[in-house]
Amino acid sequence: MKTAPRYPTQIQICLSGPTGNIHYVLATCRKIARELGLSAQEQSEFANDTRLDGSKTYQQLLDTCQEWFGLIYKK
């Protein structure tokens, strides 16, 4: 069962083409975090949750972004 996103934005991101690149998605989320005024601690927590260290798959990272910001992915 999915839980509601922490900060629901309903921002749509097309996963085909360059906007589907995980670096683009994460940069978008970092921008959203700043625009929403998330604290430095919350931004750090998001960064830790989405660390690109090889421990998470692309899908897991997308899911984490969705859990934080309620992103809507289009193919």
Side-chain angles (χ1 to χ4, degrees):
M1 180 166 97
K2 288 191 174 188
T3 60
R6 293 184 192 196
Y7 304 97
T9 64
Q10 299 296 306
I11 291 175
Q12 296 184 17
I13 296 180
C14 181
L15 295 180
S16 62
T19 58
N21 180 293
I22 196 61
H23 296 283
Y24 177 88
V25 175
L26 293 175
T28 299
C29 289
R30 288 190 297 271
K31 181 180 176 189
I32 293 167
R34 286 190 304 275
E35 290 175 356
L36 292 175
L38 271 63
S39 70
Q41 181 178 349
E42 289 172 307
Q43 291 183 47
S44 178
E45 184 182 344
F46 174 75
N48 286 333
D49 287 352
T50 56
R51 179 162 295 149
L52 295 174
D53 61 4
S55 66
K56 292 187 177 181
T57 66
Y58 174 77
Q59 187 60 54
Q60 288 171 318
L61 290 166
L62 290 177
D63 291 346
T64 300
C65 291
Q66 195 171 42
E67 290 166 8
W68 271 81
F69 301 108
L71 301 180
I72 298 170
Y73 301 122
K74 300 185 306 180
K75 302 261 180 192

